[in-house]
Amino acid sequence: AELPASLRDLCHRCLSREPADRPAAAAISAALEAWLDGLQRRQDALALVDAARAELPAIEGIVAQADALRDQAAALLDALPPDHQASDKEAAWELQDRAAALSSDAALKQVTWHQKLRAALSRSPDLPEAHALLADHYRDALERAEQARDPLAIARNEVLLRTHDRGQHADFLKGDGALTLHTTVPAQARLFRFVEQKRRLEPVFERDLGVTPLVELGLGKGSWLVTLDRVDQPDAPTVRYPVLIERAQHWDGVPPEGGNPEPVWLPGVGELAEDDCYVPAGWCIVGGDPEAVDPLPRQWVWVDGFVMKRFPVTFGEYLEWVQALVDSGDEEAVEWAWPHKRDWAPLLVRSGGRVALGPDVAARQPVVCIPHQAASDYAASRSCRLPHGLWCEKAARGADGRFTPWGDTVERSWSRVLGSRPSPASSMDVDSFPTDRSLYGVRGLAGNVFAWCANAWRRNGSVRGSRPFTSHHRGEHMTLRGACYTLKPGSQRAACRFADPPGKRSSNVGFRLARVVDQSVGAEY
């Protein structure tokens, strides 16, 4: 075996031609003792690393057991509607408690594992084997922190990863990725980076990207917005296409089934109404917000392109439809569509053959107190449909999984929630709170009233193979999305999920209109 450099140097000096250059016996003895001491310390350190490495399979096994128990609990809870009694959930709770105990055990074992590696480095500070294990550990922690959008944990774990990395994570730390973007017709592309300004994520112009297609364009990690303007129709609507470049990843627009990148549809002049907000097809992060109400687990989902109306349906718009039902003579349909609420002044009033707004109702207030079927019927009459719940989440969060439509900050004054105004709790005109606006231009996704959705409520969500799906029948409960004036500001978090029986009429539940675009698959939803 090759001698260490320090010993080679000592030998060379001992064999020097000039006696004066040769070290004294005491110096040779001291150098050999230091080398032997260092060798022993390195061997001790390697033994600690081997012990730590041997503990990893057991820790990973405990974590896997905990995850499996949580999955079992989720399956049991998924079979229950949200209003079941607590006694029906006890079996699932027991599984969750066992999972929590296992997670606690794994966490304690991880502390011991970490202490062994730190002890190894105290004996041999440059030991590459210890640094490699710690670097892998801090890379995993950094990825989790970035997924959780936790800036302090991100900063801490990135510093620790850089401290222990010896080159194997260089590409990851650099973070550069790539963007591939195809469009149905050539478009001028402009790039903006999302930057937090006064607690809101705002797009800040970076540079022109030229004309699509863009193929493997180098792009740094982070949240970006690409605006697309048709070259052949300068007056066509600008399409806003958000992109999230995770560390060393390629955003290529390839759908879940694989194949080629799916071109982004670019509407032409007159293909979108003034109040249409277009959400292009693509990947987005849903769920994963621990502070939201009943969120889904964090996951990447492909959502086909859709158009959502800027505002919820208003009383003024709904009145026109009810008037048409009255004019048709279908009294059964009128009764079903009529917004009823006990102990309230009437929301609509009828005199002979004419329908008018109630005395305390404004035309631009969102319509409420109607059942799910009436909302669906109204949407169909306008050649639209109710949105899928994940459409609402994507419309609010874009691609990067931000917690609210405007960023990661919960701010009472930016949407109509409990206490956002000194006035009594009630819905307000949809034009109120211009701050409650998503990057696509949709308004009111974080307050005022909930919105009925097309999909039945399921505890584990409505995703199959990374695509949303909708059951072809109504469930015991239908999904509600958004927030409302009766809830605290935490309901602004766009991962929140709610549900109601489809026949219920609530003063804080309205609905929105949406439609798929012709270029989308949209087979099941």
Side-chain angles (χ1 to χ4, degrees), residues 13 66 124 149 224 300 305 343 386 416-417 465 469 487 504:
R13 287 189 291 120
S124 182
R149 303 178 73 85
W224 303 89
W300 280 97
D343 303 325
L386 300 182
R416 182 51 170 159
V417 290
F469 70 89
L487 295 186
K504 187 175 180 180

Side-chain angles (χ1 to χ4, degrees), residues 388-459:
H388 190 284
L390 292 180
W391 291 13
C392 294
E393 187 163 346
K394 181 174 183 180
R397 303 179 76 184
D400 59 16
R402 60 191 61 190
F403 294 144
T404 68
W406 49 81
D408 291 331
T409 300
V410 169
E411 171 50 51
R412 183 190 306 268
S413 66
W414 286 345
S415 74
R416 182 51 170 159
V417 290
L418 191 64
S420 60
R421 291 290 186 273
S423 57
S426 64
S427 65
M428 298 179 68
D429 285 5
V430 296
D431 307 285
S432 306
F433 294 91
T435 45
D436 185 358
R437 180 187 183 94
S438 82
L439 67 93
Y440 300 105
V442 186
R443 298 272 296 274
L445 289 168
N448 218 9
V449 297
F450 292 123
W452 283 119
C453 295
N455 54 302
W457 186 90
R458 295 167 57 93
R459 184 172 297 278

Side-chain angles (χ1 to χ4, degrees), residues 233-249:
Q233 296 184 24
D235 294 330
T238 296
V239 171
R240 297 167 68 84
Y241 183 77
V243 170
L244 177 63
I245 300 294
E246 296 188 304
R247 291 180 183 269
Q249 296 300 308

Side-chain angles (χ1 to χ4, degrees), residues 78 80-82 294 296 372 376 385-390 451-463 468-481 497-502 524-525:
D78 185 50
L80 302 175
D294 193 29
L296 294 168
H372 188 273
S376 296
R385 47 156 295 167
L386 300 182
H388 190 284
L390 292 180
W452 283 119
C453 295
N455 54 302
W457 186 90
R458 295 167 57 93
R459 184 172 297 278
N460 63 358
S462 301
V463 179
F469 70 89
T470 297
S471 302
H472 295 290
H473 63 278
R474 285 187 174 81
E476 292 184 36
H477 289 76
M478 300 303 292
T479 297
L480 300 174
R481 284 292 190 141
R497 299 189 304 153
F498 304 93
D500 257 345
E524 285 196 271
Y525 65 97

Side-chain angles (χ1 to χ4, degrees), residues 151-447:
L152 291 179
I154 290 170
R156 175 181 181 274
N157 287 295
E158 183 165 354
V159 168
L160 290 168
L161 174 55
R162 291 185 184 278
T163 299
H164 294 286
D165 181 50
R166 295 300 181 266
Q168 68 268 36
H169 300 293
D171 289 342
F172 176 81
L173 282 167
K174 184 178 180 184
D176 289 349
L179 168 65
T180 293
L181 175 58
H182 294 261
T183 52
T184 51
V185 295
Q188 177 66 47
R190 293 177 176 84
L191 181 68
F192 299 76
R193 180 187 283 276
F194 280 109
V195 177
E196 187 172 77
Q197 298 178 345
K198 298 181 179 179
R199 302 294 191 273
R200 298 178 69 90
L201 287 175
E202 301 288 355
V204 176
F205 179 73
E206 288 267 331
R207 64 184 188 272
D208 287 319
L209 299 179
V211 176
T212 58
L214 310 175
V215 179
E216 296 190 18
L217 174 75
L219 204 57
K221 73 178 182 68
S223 185
W224 303 89
L225 177 69
V226 180
T227 62
L228 300 165
D229 291 284
R230 290 179 61 141
V231 172
D232 62 338
Q233 296 184 24
D235 294 330
T238 296
V239 171
R240 297 167 68 84
Y241 183 77
V243 170
L244 177 63
I245 300 294
E246 296 188 304
R247 291 180 183 269
Q249 296 300 308
H250 181 198
W251 182 284
D252 57 13
V254 174
E257 57 271 19
N260 295 321
E262 182 167 314
V264 175
W265 174 62
L266 301 182
V269 174
E271 292 191 77
L272 294 181
E274 184 178 354
D275 62 344
D276 282 343
C277 297
Y278 169 46
V279 179
W283 292 96
C284 64
I285 295 172
V286 300
D289 180 356
E291 296 187 38
V293 177
D294 193 29
L296 294 168
R298 185 184 189 274
Q299 56 198 298
W300 280 97
V301 174
W302 177 278
V303 178
D304 289 317
F306 63 93
V307 171
M308 183 177 287
K309 290 295 185 182
R310 192 175 310 280
F311 299 107
V313 174
T314 65
F315 266 105
E317 293 166 330
Y318 193 76
L319 180 147
E320 294 178 6
W321 182 60
V322 174
Q323 182 65 64
L325 292 177
V326 170
D327 294 343
S328 72
D330 188 345
E331 290 299 321
E332 183 177 350
V334 171
E335 175 60 25
W336 182 245
W338 200 269
H340 294 288
K341 181 64 179 177
R342 291 176 301 177
D343 303 325
W344 270 30
L347 301 175
L348 296 180
V349 293
R350 182 175 177 181
S351 177
R354 303 306 303 166
V355 181
L357 299 175
D360 298 321
V361 177
R364 293 291 287 171
Q365 280 183 277
V367 66
V368 293
C369 298
I370 59 170
H372 188 273
Q373 183 62 57
S376 296
D377 291 345
Y378 176 91
S381 75
R382 299 300 188 263
S383 300
C384 290
R385 47 156 295 167
L386 300 182
H388 190 284
L390 292 180
W391 291 13
C392 294
E393 187 163 346
K394 181 174 183 180
R397 303 179 76 184
D400 59 16
R402 60 191 61 190
F403 294 144
T404 68
W406 49 81
D408 291 331
T409 300
V410 169
E411 171 50 51
R412 183 190 306 268
S413 66
W414 286 345
S415 74
R416 182 51 170 159
V417 290
L418 191 64
S420 60
R421 291 290 186 273
S423 57
S426 64
S427 65
M428 298 179 68
D429 285 5
V430 296
D431 307 285
S432 306
F433 294 91
T435 45
D436 185 358
R437 180 187 183 94
S438 82
L439 67 93
Y440 300 105
V442 186
R443 298 272 296 274
L445 289 168

Side-chain angles (χ1 to χ4, degrees), residues 40-63:
Q40 184 61 51
R41 291 173 68 83
R42 186 176 190 281
Q43 289 174 340
D44 292 344
L46 283 172
L48 286 167
V49 171
D50 288 341
R53 187 181 288 114
E55 293 174 0
L56 278 177
I59 295 173
E60 292 169 353
I62 294 171
V63 172

